[in-house]
Amino acid sequence: MSADVTRRVEVYPDREVVVEFDPELTFECVEDCTWCCHHGVLLYDKDLLELAQRANLAETTTDFRGEKFVTREEKGRDDHVDDDGCACAFLRDDGLCTLHLEEDWKPTRCSVFPLAVFLEDGDLHVDIRDSAHEHCEGLNVSERKVIENLEAFLPELLWELENPDSDREL
Ligand code: SF4
Ligand code: SF4
């Protein structure tokens, strides 16, 4: 398939995406990378309700441009932090996610990375985030094709949102 040809994939019954990345692309998260957890992820409304059952929202979330995000915080360590020493409030010293580990849950946007989603002409499109090409260590290091595992990246909630666009972050 050439780069300018798109294809539709049914991820759930009657839930399609238009795939815009190379269908040969593979992905497997690399232990100890943690780059995508150095940011503050956007919380969709349903995520916020779920998070409220698991954490103190006053301590772990922040408002930005009218939307809720997980707080980035100064970690006081050298590993698993961005250049400014900050990372997601839930990223532990050992590079693991507190929510994932202790609650077996994580916000929708954490599943989506390293993909980007956006609405165009009423269709949900999926591509690789520009920043992921530069920073995500998990691209093309395994045999696991992204296009064959889209349900792992795209929770069904995304089709229910007025604005699922993933280009919003702290
Ligand atoms: S909530 Fe967990 S998975 Fe999501 S960015 Fe924070 S540490 Fe990473
Ligand atoms: S940037 Fe990529 S390889 Fe690194 S933790 Fe995130 S998904 Fe995994």
Side-chain angles (χ1 to χ4, degrees):
M1 187 171 105
S2 64
D4 60 345
V5 175
T6 59
R7 67 169 59 184
R8 287 179 177 272
V9 175
E10 188 176 52
V11 184
Y12 303 99
D14 297 323
R15 308 280 208 196
E16 285 184 346
V17 284
V18 178
V19 170
E20 300 204 347
F21 56 81
D22 180 349
E24 295 302 315
L25 183 90
T26 70
F27 170 79
E28 198 70 58
C29 191
V30 173
E31 200 176 336
D32 271 353
C33 169
T34 72
W35 184 79
C36 59
C37 299
H38 298 173
H39 310 279
V41 293
L42 175 69
L43 293 161
Y44 300 119
D45 289 348
K46 191 175 170 200
D47 288 322
L48 194 61
L49 294 173
E50 296 261 355
L51 185 60
Q53 296 171 28
R54 298 169 165 90
N56 182 332
L57 295 186
E59 293 175 0
T60 59
T61 67
T62 188
D63 293 294
F64 181 59
R65 294 181 178 163
E67 296 185 291
K68 284 277 187 194
F69 293 79
V70 175
T71 306
R72 293 179 81 241
E73 62 182 23
E74 177 75 40
K75 293 293 189 181
R77 65 187 186 221
D78 295 331
D79 290 335
H80 308 303
V81 290
D82 209 344
D83 293 342
D84 61 0
C86 295
C88 171
F90 295 109
L91 189 63
R92 306 189 329 178
D93 291 3
D94 60 4
L96 297 175
C97 170
T98 306
L99 290 173
H100 198 190
L101 215 62
E102 297 177 8
E103 303 287 338
D104 196 23
W105 178 85
K106 58 186 174 182
T108 302
R109 291 286 287 272
C110 305
S111 300
V112 174
F113 203 89
L115 305 185
V117 296
F118 55 97
L119 274 183
E120 197 172 284
D121 299 329
D123 288 320
L124 192 63
H125 289 239
V126 60
D127 203 348
I128 304 298
R129 288 177 63 129
D130 288 345
S131 58
H133 286 295
E134 192 178 345
H135 297 285
C136 176
E137 296 178 19
L139 299 177
N140 286 326
V141 295
S142 71
E143 301 295 314
R144 183 175 172 244
K145 284 189 179 178
V146 175
I147 201 166
E148 293 172 356
N149 294 279
L150 284 171
E151 71 285 352
F153 301 91
L154 305 175
E156 200 166 5
L157 165 71
L158 292 168
W159 280 263
E160 297 160 13
L161 299 171
E162 197 175 318
N163 180 12
D165 290 15
S166 56
D167 62 352
R168 294 117 75 199
E169 64 184 20
L170 280 183

